[in-house]
Amino acid sequence: MNGAADLLSRYLRQRVELGETELVFEGQPLRSLKEAASVSVAPTPSRTTDRTTHRPIAAAGTRPSGVEPPPLVALGSLGELGRIASVCTACELAETRNHVVFGEGSAQADLVVVGEAPGADEDRSGRPFVGRAGKLLDQLLAAIGFPRESVYICNVLKCRPPRNRNPSPDEVASCSPFLQRQLALLQPKAILACGTFSAQTLLESSEPIGRLRGVVHAFEGIPLVPTYHPAALLRNPGWIRPVWEDLQRLRTLLDAE
Ligand code: URA
């Protein structure tokens, strides 16, 4: 087990052993907390797509000529949106990606988790949060009673930035319409924004995550809880407590829905 996951596990076990109830969520049986505590952790030269509509400006090569996709706001299902994303060439990341990582999970999910961008594992598999940070995310979600399959998980960027560099403002601007449409279609009861880019993008803020977290915000009327990114948590196990507090805040607000 790695440092942060181990710490989380020990933290939860300690709570159980101490008989503390303050970290146990209402309606969440103690057994789940015990189970959670024992889980192991395992040159793009020219723009080819109009940024606002994601329509190809030049023939993308994958579509029959003359057939244009509708603007994203007109798309009525995640499936249709995902198909458009899978051939998107709106930014340079299309040149280097192996897979577009659109997102996955239940279309009826109460909770949507929004991360930053796919990493190497996600680019290889086409699935969000499947690497080390993803394993930790799964554990954290399970600890508050949300198994991975009960939530919807996606990222701000749908394609991996080379060498996991930070997304550029241009890439965020190009890709955000997909996230916005995803959230409009999903209409979750709450959003968990993991990390600086996710929280800043959804809240249209330039505040650091350390200042954004700690309170419930809203995105288009949907309660939004910002927290540290699980990858950052792996590097800074000391953040487990604030993350845990954020997750409790999330659980409490979902319980009240
Ligand atoms: N980090 C993210 O922000 N998203 C992923 O899908 C994987 C790692």
Side-chain angles (χ1 to χ4, degrees):
M1 216 183 283
N2 59 51
D6 190 29
L7 211 90
L8 169 67
S9 186
R10 279 189 357 237
Y11 185 64
L12 295 179
R13 246 185 261 126
Q14 204 184 37
R15 266 28 201 178
V16 172
E17 279 161 20
L18 289 172
E20 282 189 19
T21 52
E22 66 195 273
L23 296 179
V24 181
F25 311 110
E26 269 182 345
Q28 173 73 6
L30 191 62
R31 197 170 59 86
S32 305
L33 187 61
K34 285 180 178 164
E35 279 167 7
S38 61
V39 177
S40 355
V41 178
T44 302
S46 54
R47 172 166 295 283
T48 51
T49 307
D50 181 300
R51 182 167 288 158
T52 48
T53 61
H54 286 257
R55 292 177 181 191
I57 291 167
T62 46
R63 296 187 188 102
S65 63
V67 179
E68 285 197 358
L72 300 190
V73 287
L75 299 178
S77 75
L78 290 171
E80 288 174 83
L81 190 62
R83 276 190 287 282
I84 301 296
S86 71
V87 292
C88 178
T89 53
C91 77
E92 291 187 0
L93 300 181
E95 301 293 319
T96 48
R97 72 180 178 222
N98 286 305
H99 285 102
V100 171
V101 182
F102 178 67
E104 68 178 25
S106 165
Q108 277 76 45
D110 285 345
L111 173 62
V112 173
V113 179
V114 180
E116 177 178 313
D121 293 314
E122 292 76 22
D123 180 54
R124 207 173 296 122
S125 65
R127 300 180 56 212
F129 278 105
V130 292
R132 278 181 75 222
K135 297 279 183 294
L136 179 56
L137 176 67
D138 289 353
Q139 272 203 313
L140 293 166
L141 292 173
I144 55 160
F146 285 101
R148 183 180 171 105
E149 53 286 1
S150 71
V151 308
Y152 189 91
I153 305 181
C154 59
N155 287 300
V156 174
L157 293 194
K158 310 304 185 202
C159 298
R160 182 191 183 206
R163 299 173 306 285
N164 298 344
R165 64 158 168 75
N166 285 340
S168 73
D170 247 26
E171 289 156 0
V172 172
S174 298
C175 215
S176 296
F178 282 109
L179 177 61
Q180 278 158 8
R181 190 68 193 139
Q182 255 170 327
L183 292 170
L185 289 168
L186 285 160
Q187 286 294 315
K189 292 190 175 142
I191 298 168
L192 178 66
C194 294
T196 304
F197 284 95
S198 172
Q200 287 185 344
T201 303
L202 290 171
L203 297 174
E204 296 186 70
S205 167
S206 52
E207 290 284 324
I209 186 69
R211 290 176 69 106
L212 289 172
R213 64 152 298 280
V215 288
V216 179
H217 300 257
F219 170 82
E220 306 271 330
I222 303 168
L224 181 150
V225 174
T227 197
Y228 293 112
H229 194 284
L233 190 51
L234 287 168
R235 292 189 299 269
N236 303 284
W239 285 348
I240 192 73
R241 185 162 197 112
V243 168
W244 188 244
E245 285 166 7
D246 295 335
L247 291 175
Q248 287 201 67
R249 197 169 290 114
L250 178 67
R251 181 74 235 194
T252 302
L253 85 82
L254 281 164
D255 283 345
E257 284 287 324

